[in-house]
Amino acid sequence: RMPDDLRAAYRFARAAGERFRGRVEAWEPWNEPDIPVFSTDPADQAAAFQKAGCLGFRAADPRATVLMVSLAHPPGEFIECFLENETAPYFDAYNYHTYEPLEGYERRAAAHAAVRERFGIAGKPVWVTEAGIPIKTMSGDLSPEDAFRQAEFLPRSYVLSLAHGTSRHFFFILPHFIE
């Protein structure tokens, strides 16, 4: 849950910004608040949290790059409400996550582009701050076949992401990982 007192979010962001000034390239205030595993708070509360966090990071370092809260889902009600709460001045880059098959990259990018256009933020850079290919094994080790699938997927995901307007693309994790 996000804190009830937004001053706590501000103070935490300011302290983190001071502590890691010059060592963190960009701050993402919250991971995937649009899915219940990371938050059950509504989008308007995520918007308020975004503003408090951004103000804290910028109080510590006015040149800090602040991303918006990351999105797990394709555009929908959550991002609409988040942006309706006038959050655009409180982030430098629009960012989202994707675990789509490669065939879905263009569709997801186009949906995000339409939202950005509608809210007048089409000029903000787009970052895919988490992408990957779901590979699960019980042992925790990648089989040679899964390692090959991942090795094939990785450069293609970067190329497709960049080709569809992404400024930066980050692969989530290379070794096997089960949450």
Side-chain angles (χ1 to χ4, degrees):
R1 300 286 322 251
M2 295 180 192
D4 292 330
D5 186 345
L6 290 174
R7 292 173 299 182
Y10 170 85
R11 286 190 300 267
F12 178 84
R14 188 184 69 216
E18 289 169 356
R19 170 78 168 90
F20 296 103
R21 186 181 304 128
R23 294 187 286 167
V24 172
E25 185 175 333
W27 295 96
E28 183 181 271
W30 196 278
N31 182 58
E32 299 178 348
D34 59 335
I35 58 174
V37 70
F38 291 115
S39 179
T40 56
D41 295 311
D44 61 341
Q45 288 183 13
F49 184 86
Q50 173 75 41
K51 293 174 183 182
C54 177
L55 292 171
F57 291 128
R58 291 204 175 128
D61 181 359
R63 296 167 297 151
T65 298
V66 179
L67 307 177
M68 67 176 213
V69 298
S70 60
L71 301 172
H73 289 299
E77 187 177 314
F78 186 92
I79 189 60
E80 296 280 337
C81 180
F82 179 83
L83 293 171
E84 285 169 358
N85 275 273
E86 300 179 5
T87 53
Y90 299 92
F91 62 88
D92 301 307
Y94 180 101
N95 58 299
Y96 64 93
H97 298 170
T98 185
Y99 288 88
E100 295 259 350
L102 296 173
E103 302 78 39
Y105 270 52
E106 182 175 10
R107 181 180 60 251
R108 172 97 39 130
H112 282 292
V115 167
R116 292 182 2 263
E117 183 71 34
R118 194 166 52 261
F119 283 93
I121 57 172
K124 285 192 186 259
V126 176
W127 291 18
V128 172
T129 51
E130 191 175 306
I133 181 172
I135 297 176
K136 296 184 177 187
T137 68
M138 296 314 292
S139 69
D141 296 321
L142 290 178
S143 69
E145 294 81 15
D146 286 338
F148 184 79
R149 281 183 46 227
Q150 190 177 64
E152 271 194 326
F153 181 88
L154 190 115
R156 290 178 180 169
S157 70
Y158 274 83
V159 168
L160 285 170
S161 186
L162 296 173
H164 295 297
T166 300
S167 300
R168 297 197 183 185
H169 179 95
F170 298 91
F171 200 75
F172 175 57
I173 195 165
L174 289 172
H176 167 69
F177 178 73
I178 295 179
E179 294 187 48

